Amino acid sequence: MARRGGKLLLVAAMLLLGIPTATAENAQVNTIQDIFRHLRTCWKPPPPAKARPLDITVVVSFNRAGNILGHPRITYESAEASDNDRLQYRIAVMETLQRCTPVPFTDTMAGAAAGRPFAIQFRTRKTSPPTQERRA
């Protein structure tokens, strides 16, 4: 038990000192779900003072080395977003892709993911609670 507590203390110290630890950001990506999780760990939406929250989807492909293949494409943005909101969120998406690539694919996943388009959704809007239907 003392050994386990020592490891926790070491990880806590590394985090406080800013030393990287094995997290989702640098863990090997071995499944399709891992790709989505990996990219979401890098997601930093614009602050509310710069843009209202919106949902945005980007389609992106990777090569075997985990680098972006071609040009990412925005395929969906919330309808009620202003031009400024869209611009801020597009910048945030591209910064996310820069922070998170190359994706650390395992050898098996590199072959499976290479050239395949992935639609990555970034959801930042709060969904409203379901309304109660009243009957007369």
Side-chain angles (χ1 to χ4, degrees), residues 110-133:
R116 181 179 178 173
F118 294 95
I120 313 296
Q121 298 176 345
F122 297 99
R123 297 182 185 271
T124 54
R125 289 188 306 170
K126 303 278 189 232
T127 56
S128 57
T131 57
Q132 296 291 331
E133 187 174 309

Side-chain angles (χ1 to χ4, degrees), residues 37 45 74 76 88 106 117-118 124:
R37 278 190 217 107
I74 302 296
Y76 173 81
Q88 294 300 320
T106 60
F118 294 95
T124 54

Side-chain angles (χ1 to χ4, degrees), residues 53-136:
L54 64 91
D55 295 341
I56 189 166
T57 301
V58 61
V59 174
V60 63
S61 297
F62 303 98
N63 63 17
R64 292 181 65 84
N67 293 307
I68 294 172
L69 182 65
H71 298 283
R73 225 173 5 112
I74 302 296
T75 59
Y76 173 81
E77 294 168 315
S78 300
E80 68 279 355
S82 70
D83 288 342
N84 179 60
D85 297 339
R86 286 186 176 93
L87 177 63
Q88 294 300 320
Y89 272 83
R90 287 177 183 190
I91 291 169
V93 165
M94 295 309 151
E95 288 174 345
T96 295
L97 293 173
Q98 286 177 343
R99 273 192 296 276
C100 258
T101 53
V103 178
F105 290 130
T106 60
D107 290 339
T108 305
M109 191 62 202
R116 181 179 178 173
F118 294 95
I120 313 296
Q121 298 176 345
F122 297 99
R123 297 182 185 271
T124 54
R125 289 188 306 170
K126 303 278 189 232
T127 56
S128 57
T131 57
Q132 296 291 331
E133 187 174 309
R134 293 184 186 181
R135 296 191 181 242

Side-chain angles (χ1 to χ4, degrees), residues 9-32:
L9 186 59
L10 178 63
V11 169
M14 291 173 74
L15 288 172
L16 288 173
L17 294 173
I19 299 170
T21 59
T23 64
E25 277 188 43
N26 56 15
Q28 288 284 292
V29 173
N30 192 43
T31 67
I32 291 173

